[in-house]
Amino acid sequence: MNLILLGAPGAGKGTQAEVICDHLQIPAISTGNILREAVKNGSELGLKAKSFMDSGALVPDEVVINILKERIAQDDCKKGFILDGFPRTVPQAEALDAMGVQIDCVLSLEVADEAIMQRLSGRRVCQDCGASYHIDYKPSKVEGVCDRCGGKTVQRKDDEPETIKDRLNVYHTQTEPLKAYYSKTGKLVTVEGQEEVADTTALVLKALGE
Ligand code: AMP
């Protein structure tokens, strides 16, 4: 199954992508994680992407399209994949179509902007493995330490309140039109994000017929 997760930053795409990945045994691909890894390694890609990411802007289409193309060509994607954070613009969706990728389902996670602000400003991520926590809703067992790998958990620069506003703006203007794009193909399914992650997961799995 080839699946796209749509939704504002902080709508819970990453968390749900992990659950679906475990459930369906297909890889979850986050272009954001790939880019952050590149920034951390100081690679040419990372240098190119950093300023866009820090300001909450989108990295240019041709850069992310190339990343995605390379990633889905890998062996582990043969049985399908979950895209978390791609496509984020109509040209990216068109590029995916042009690659001949058949999409089975586009799941849009709906969460109000006010709730997103609260979620993202409390989010902490492991700087080593990328696991995600929240200071109120999903704290790590030991503050500042990742449960999964023992790495340090930190606030992402783009989770600072001013940047969150910019990212929401970018989402509404550049990414949200994808709902109309996929609605036309009949593949769009909408799920209302719930306060409890497990409740959202139940709705997501139901929407996927699992
Ligand atoms: P995310 O973790 O998905 O919120 O992504 C973090 C940042 O990476 C975004 O704010 C963008 O700067 C960049 N990014 C990730 N995916 C894409 C994409 N598909 N198109 C453009 N920029 C992206």
Side-chain angles (χ1 to χ4, degrees), residues 98-119:
M99 288 175 217
V101 173
Q102 297 295 324
I103 299 298
D104 299 293
C105 180
V106 179
L107 215 143
S108 177
L109 281 174
E110 305 289 326
V111 177
D113 284 6
E114 304 75 59
I116 298 263
M117 285 297 293
Q118 208 191 2
R119 282 188 189 188

Side-chain angles (χ1 to χ4, degrees), residues 71-160:
R71 181 63 189 87
I72 62 174
Q74 290 173 16
D75 273 356
D76 63 336
C77 290
K78 287 216 169 87
K79 282 197 205 136
F81 46 78
I82 307 150
L83 299 184
D84 158 19
F86 186 101
R88 250 173 158 110
T89 63
V90 170
Q92 290 179 22
E94 288 168 347
L96 203 53
D97 290 343
M99 288 175 217
V101 173
Q102 297 295 324
I103 299 298
D104 299 293
C105 180
V106 179
L107 215 143
S108 177
L109 281 174
E110 305 289 326
V111 177
D113 284 6
E114 304 75 59
I116 298 263
M117 285 297 293
Q118 208 191 2
R119 282 188 189 188
L120 286 188
S121 52
R123 178 160 77 175
R124 299 292 180 268
V125 292
C126 174
Q127 60 182 12
D128 292 338
C129 76
S132 192
Y133 301 92
H134 191 282
I135 52 172
D136 298 320
Y137 311 126
K138 192 191 166 194
S140 53
K141 289 194 188 96
V142 178
E143 194 186 325
V145 181
C146 178
D147 293 349
R148 195 155 80 182
C149 76
K152 188 174 169 200
T153 64
V154 294
Q155 180 170 46
R156 275 165 51 172
K157 201 166 165 43
D158 59 355
D159 280 345
E160 289 167 10

Side-chain angles (χ1 to χ4, degrees), residues 31-32 35-36 53 57-59 64 85-86 88 92 156 158 167:
T31 40
L35 288 165
R36 273 185 291 280
M53 295 174 75
L58 294 183
V59 172
V64 277
F86 186 101
R88 250 173 158 110
Q92 290 179 22
R156 275 165 51 172
D158 59 355
R167 290 167 69 200

Side-chain angles (χ1 to χ4, degrees), residues 2-208:
N2 296 334
L3 187 67
I4 292 174
L5 288 182
L6 274 185
K13 297 188 299 294
T15 307
Q16 296 305 328
E18 279 177 30
V19 173
I20 304 167
C21 162
D22 284 346
H23 201 84
L24 297 179
Q25 293 292 303
I26 51 175
I29 299 169
S30 155
T31 40
N33 282 350
I34 295 173
L35 288 165
R36 273 185 291 280
E37 192 61 31
V39 170
K40 204 166 89 182
N41 296 337
S43 67
E44 199 182 322
L45 168 65
L47 293 176
K48 222 187 274 182
K50 187 175 187 317
S51 60
F52 295 102
M53 295 174 75
D54 284 349
S55 70
L58 294 183
V59 172
D61 284 337
E62 65 273 18
V63 175
V64 277
I65 289 167
N66 278 333
I67 293 176
L68 204 273
K69 208 183 236 172
E70 279 179 21
R71 181 63 189 87
I72 62 174
Q74 290 173 16
D75 273 356
D76 63 336
C77 290
K78 287 216 169 87
K79 282 197 205 136
F81 46 78
I82 307 150
L83 299 184
D84 158 19
F86 186 101
R88 250 173 158 110
T89 63
V90 170
Q92 290 179 22
E94 288 168 347
L96 203 53
D97 290 343
M99 288 175 217
V101 173
Q102 297 295 324
I103 299 298
D104 299 293
C105 180
V106 179
L107 215 143
S108 177
L109 281 174
E110 305 289 326
V111 177
D113 284 6
E114 304 75 59
I116 298 263
M117 285 297 293
Q118 208 191 2
R119 282 188 189 188
L120 286 188
S121 52
R123 178 160 77 175
R124 299 292 180 268
V125 292
C126 174
Q127 60 182 12
D128 292 338
C129 76
S132 192
Y133 301 92
H134 191 282
I135 52 172
D136 298 320
Y137 311 126
K138 192 191 166 194
S140 53
K141 289 194 188 96
V142 178
E143 194 186 325
V145 181
C146 178
D147 293 349
R148 195 155 80 182
C149 76
K152 188 174 169 200
T153 64
V154 294
Q155 180 170 46
R156 275 165 51 172
K157 201 166 165 43
D158 59 355
D159 280 345
E160 289 167 10
E162 274 314 302
T163 316
I164 297 172
K165 279 190 202 148
D166 293 338
R167 290 167 69 200
L168 279 170
N169 215 353
V170 165
Y171 171 73
H172 290 304
T173 53
Q174 303 197 53
T175 307
E176 218 166 10
L178 289 176
K179 285 201 248 171
Y181 184 93
Y182 287 116
S183 180
K184 279 187 215 137
T185 65
K187 304 287 185 201
L188 185 75
V189 180
T190 300
V191 168
E192 295 288 332
Q194 307 293 306
E195 217 156 288
E196 296 292 331
V197 172
D199 293 339
T200 307
T201 298
L203 293 177
V204 164
L205 293 178
K206 194 169 157 213
L208 294 175

